Amino acid sequence: MEILTKVHAKHLVDWGREHPEAYVLSADLTGSCEADGWRDRYPDRFLSLGIAEQNMLAFAGGMARQGFIPLVHTFAVFIYRRALDQIAMSVAYPNLPVKMFGFLPGILTPGGATHQAIEDIAVMRALPNITVIEPGDATEVESALDAAFDTPGPVYVRQLRGEVPRLFDKNEPLTLGVPRKLSYGKDIVIVTSGICTEEGMRAAAALRGKGLEITHYHVSTLKPFRYPEIVEDIAISRYGAVTLENHSVVGGLGSALAECMAEYGAGKPLRRLGLQDTFAHGASRRYLMREYGLDAMALIAAAENITGERFAIDEASLTETYTPAAHSGAKPEAL
Amino acid sequence: MTRTEKALIEKMAWGIRRRALAHTLARGGGYLSQACSSAEIFAALYGCVLRLKKLDSPISAGRFMGTPGPGRPVVTGANFNGSGDASCDNFILSPAQYALALYAALIEAGRMDEKSMDAYDIDGSAVEIIGAEHSPGMEVTTGSLGQGISQASGIAMARKIKGETGRVVLMMSDGECQSGEFWEAVQAACYHKLGNMIAYVDVNGYQCDGKMTSVMNIEPFDKRLKAFGARVHRIDGHNIDSLARLGRAPRADVYTLRHRPLQRHGYFKRSPS
């Protein structure tokens, strides 16, 4: 597996050359959100607004009204938790092209509950006019900016930083509203997003080895959420669906799929894996994924539960798990 | 300012009060105190401070056409200000709770026809009690207090980058200056040297729960703002000469904030009969 570093940072600078109307807005986490390259290359198009997110988001709305494209960069958690009313009234209501890049989604930060955005999809998905994107690999990290720019109105991107694996062909960028069908099988439909897709691929491969047929979808557009093809596959599957997400099971991928299944009348069970309506704490990514059931082993356990079979898959037999050495090249204190 | 000009603005101010009173009585309540407190500010703004495009004739307020979104028409209250040119000012009303005073000012300024007020507070009308950006004169959506100054700062930043001569003129209430976002915005406006933005704050000393000092004190407001780096003029908010002189001064080189002494005003609500 190809592992890339600072994918967003590099792409952002390249992209900026062709987009003079774009301005990066930052709240004291410039290097930590891979916008330092932009700041150094385009200092006139970099606006530091300090640790004052409420002002920053409404300020971004004001700039967007004047024809600029604000690219807000800070940690995911500080965008929607600290400035929700400002996003709702100064950005989403007027449907302005403010592109929000929220870094370190879910348990990707060892910074604990204060730093972990675990309900951002639920919150942002509920706001009218906002598009929600979550890249799952380096190809999607590279293409999320274009997808966000090409989408009219406000866009929230749950962006990945640091070391990111490339799971999808470099020439098959993220396309808004288009899921990736990674495998087809008639027993269980697995739907994953973000960093959990890599886990899903690992689990699906192991389960296939044990004779279970798996359909695996990766979803990178969480709003709008219209995937009739996924729901149809679930409806004709033997056991139903399992979702796995780096987010609370309330309001995220699992909830969105549940809504679609109910409206369609899919009539199949759905198991939602992710943070089970709980906050997490500060620890390593690998530990937190295991502890809270966000990894391949959690998916395998769910498959065993659904089928009533024991597959005897031990973790060591799974394809080598990729775990980034460090949380990007950013300062350790800037979690 | 000539005596004729001043007389005209005085007349506008009393027109704003009279109209606000009439609608408050007709609707059995309303934001009358806001109109009384800010009548001279609105009159000075629309009478001689704001550099707005001239309108051929007063515009009629239409029906509510839907909120902004994909496939929906953009309906903006900015049309009543005739803004859009690089040399024109933006006018941002931060407390949308002052909408009644704004509507009255638009009529007094010949920018909205008088009949539009028949639709005030009528279901399905754009002439709402607390307007949004589809309401006459409203360029942005405010009323969640404290957000107007941040939006105005973003607009001012953009206009400064574009080198436009038009300013961003903000009208605020004092109660919203209790919010953290207000102070975030003041520090950002000073830090980014947004000299193309001025703000009038209607310091009437009252808010929803009563006297501001009994809710949360912001005084000494001028000293606090100066400490942030703002240029502040504390003036009598009913003094048309002062309001006009400062608002018409050449481009400010630093962020400017103007406000008025305490005066008793409250929300007027007629008891149900």
Side-chain angles (χ1 to χ4, degrees):
Chain A
M1 194 185 343
E2 188 192 2
I3 309 292
L4 293 90
T5 52
K6 300 199 89 172
V7 182
H8 178 75
K10 291 165 190 162
H11 181 64
L12 184 65
V13 171
D14 291 341
W15 185 91
R17 202 176 301 123
E18 307 293 327
H19 297 89
E21 73 278 40
Y23 280 68
V24 165
L25 274 55
S26 183
D28 194 37
L29 289 168
T30 307
S32 305
C33 295
E34 300 195 350
D36 44 348
W38 175 290
R39 176 196 61 203
D40 299 341
R41 183 72 168 273
Y42 315 113
D44 293 343
R45 287 195 283 136
F46 172 80
L47 294 174
S48 175
L49 288 159
I51 307 170
E53 292 81 3
Q54 297 187 341
N55 178 61
M56 177 167 70
L57 268 300
F59 188 103
M63 287 198 73
R65 281 184 190 273
Q66 290 288 315
F68 292 107
I69 305 289
L71 310 174
V72 171
H73 279 64
T74 190
F75 290 169
V77 74
F78 300 141
I79 292 181
Y80 74 99
R81 276 197 194 145
R82 293 176 72 104
L84 180 59
D85 188 24
Q86 287 72 19
I87 295 169
M89 289 297 102
S90 297
V91 175
Y93 178 85
N95 198 29
L96 294 166
V98 174
K99 315 301 177 184
M100 294 162 273
F101 291 84
F103 287 77
L104 297 178
I107 52 73
L108 276 180
T109 165
T114 52
H115 285 60
Q116 290 162 343
I118 61 165
E119 80 287 12
D120 51 335
I121 296 167
V123 169
M124 294 302 238
R125 202 165 70 87
L127 287 175
N129 291 338
I130 290 197
T131 297
V132 179
I133 293 175
E134 180 175 22
D137 85 323
T139 296
E140 296 196 338
V141 169
E142 282 166 354
S143 43
L145 184 53
D146 284 305
F149 181 75
D150 292 341
T151 304
V155 180
Y156 173 67
V157 182
R158 276 193 127 201
Q159 189 62 303
L160 301 174
R161 75 172 201 194
E163 296 178 354
V164 186
R166 191 183 294 286
L167 306 176
F168 312 126
D169 194 314
K170 193 176 172 27
N171 300 312
E172 291 174 15
L174 184 158
T175 309
L176 194 80
V178 179
R180 295 182 193 266
K181 193 168 187 173
L182 306 176
S183 66
Y184 178 73
K186 60 179 172 36
D187 290 330
I188 296 178
V189 178
I190 292 175
V191 186
T192 59
S193 56
I195 58 161
C196 290
T197 290
E198 189 189 341
E199 301 295 324
M201 292 165 85
R202 201 169 286 133
L207 291 168
R208 267 194 299 276
K210 299 290 180 180
L212 202 63
E213 293 188 27
I214 305 287
T215 291
H216 182 192
Y217 280 101
H218 164 71
V219 166
S220 54
T221 306
L222 291 153
K223 189 186 180 185
F225 198 94
R226 286 189 288 270
Y227 298 112
E229 64 273 54
I230 298 179
V231 180
E232 280 163 23
D233 277 350
I234 293 168
I236 59 168
S237 69
R238 187 169 170 200
Y239 294 109
V242 184
T243 52
L244 178 63
E245 58 190 311
N246 175 26
H247 184 272
S248 166
V249 292
V250 178
L253 171 71
S255 290
L257 187 63
E259 291 162 12
C260 288
M261 287 170 64
E263 286 188 357
Y264 180 91
K268 282 288 182 337
L270 165 68
R271 281 175 175 74
R272 293 170 298 146
L273 305 182
L275 290 165
Q276 300 296 319
D277 196 19
T278 179
F279 288 104
H281 74 115
S284 73
R285 165 184 177 164
R286 180 48 50 196
Y287 164 88
L288 291 171
M289 289 184 84
R290 161 59 62 83
E291 194 69 16
Y292 290 97
L294 308 179
D295 60 1
M297 291 307 285
L299 261 178
I300 290 165
E304 288 181 332
N305 184 271
I306 292 164
T307 59
E309 294 182 47
R310 283 275 168 266
F311 297 117
I313 300 168
D314 68 281
E315 194 163 14
S317 71
L318 293 174
T319 321
E320 184 59 33
T321 300
Y322 155 70
T323 303
H327 288 269
S328 86
K331 295 171 290 190
E333 64 271 26
L335 292 173
Chain B
M1 182 188 295
T2 65
R3 287 176 68 169
T4 329
E5 217 175 2
K6 189 178 170 184
L8 203 70
I9 293 168
E10 274 171 353
K11 189 165 162 281
M12 282 175 75
W14 285 106
I16 291 168
R17 287 196 177 87
R18 183 173 52 78
R19 291 175 192 283
L21 176 62
H23 285 282
T24 303
L25 291 173
R27 305 302 303 169
Y31 290 90
L32 177 63
S33 62
Q34 282 81 352
C36 291
S37 169
S38 64
E40 278 75 21
I41 299 177
F42 274 102
L45 284 169
Y46 276 96
C48 71
V49 170
L50 289 168
R51 303 165 193 162
L52 302 176
K53 208 151 72 181
K54 286 208 160 41
L55 297 180
D56 296 335
S57 57
I59 302 176
S60 295
R63 292 183 57 76
F64 170 67
M65 299 296 284
T67 57
R72 291 195 286 276
V74 176
V75 179
T76 171
N79 292 340
F80 290 81
N81 291 342
S83 54
D85 286 1
S87 61
C88 287
D89 291 344
N90 286 103
F91 175 58
I92 308 296
L93 174 61
S94 181
Q97 290 80 353
Y98 279 64
L100 180 56
L102 172 62
Y103 302 150
L106 288 171
I107 295 173
E108 291 296 325
R111 294 184 167 271
M112 180 165 81
D113 69 14
E114 207 163 359
K115 273 185 73 66
S116 294
M117 282 308 282
D118 293 348
Y120 175 70
D121 190 23
I122 299 295
D123 289 347
S125 154
V127 194
E128 297 173 24
I129 300 177
I130 295 179
E133 60 194 84
H134 52 260
S135 301
M138 295 291 290
E139 298 195 18
V140 303
T141 295
T142 51
S144 175
L145 296 174
Q147 289 193 35
I149 186 169
S150 298
Q151 296 186 61
S153 300
I155 294 170
M157 185 82 232
R159 299 197 72 178
K160 184 182 167 183
I161 290 166
K162 290 193 276 190
E164 296 183 353
T165 54
R167 306 166 303 172
V168 179
V169 181
L170 178 66
M171 158 78 195
M172 296 189 65
S173 60
D174 49 0
E176 64 180 320
C177 298
Q178 291 166 344
S179 73
E181 185 181 1
F182 169 74
W183 294 102
E184 291 181 0
V186 173
Q187 73 177 359
C190 294
Y191 179 72
H192 288 290
K193 298 184 168 56
L194 301 181
N196 56 346
M197 179 165 87
I198 61 173
Y200 285 80
V201 185
D202 179 19
V203 182
N204 57 34
Y206 274 80
Q207 58 189 123
C208 198
D209 269 6
K211 201 169 182 183
M212 274 186 70
T213 47
S214 75
V215 181
M216 180 54 63
N217 176 48
I218 62 167
E219 298 294 348
F221 191 42
D222 48 350
K223 289 193 177 71
R224 291 183 184 190
L225 285 164
K226 279 178 186 161
F228 268 62
R231 176 181 291 184
V232 188
H233 302 268
R234 190 155 191 148
I235 59 172
D236 175 356
H238 298 299
N239 185 319
I240 287 165
D241 286 317
S242 309
L243 289 163
R245 181 173 49 78
L246 291 164
R248 295 207 289 192
R251 254 174 89 109
D253 56 349
V254 288
Y255 178 76
T256 305
L257 212 119
R258 298 173 183 148
H259 57 181
R260 59 191 298 272
L262 299 176
Q263 193 150 31
R264 197 193 187 298
H265 286 297
Y267 175 83
F268 175 87
K269 176 83 181 160
R270 196 166 72 176
S271 306
S273 46

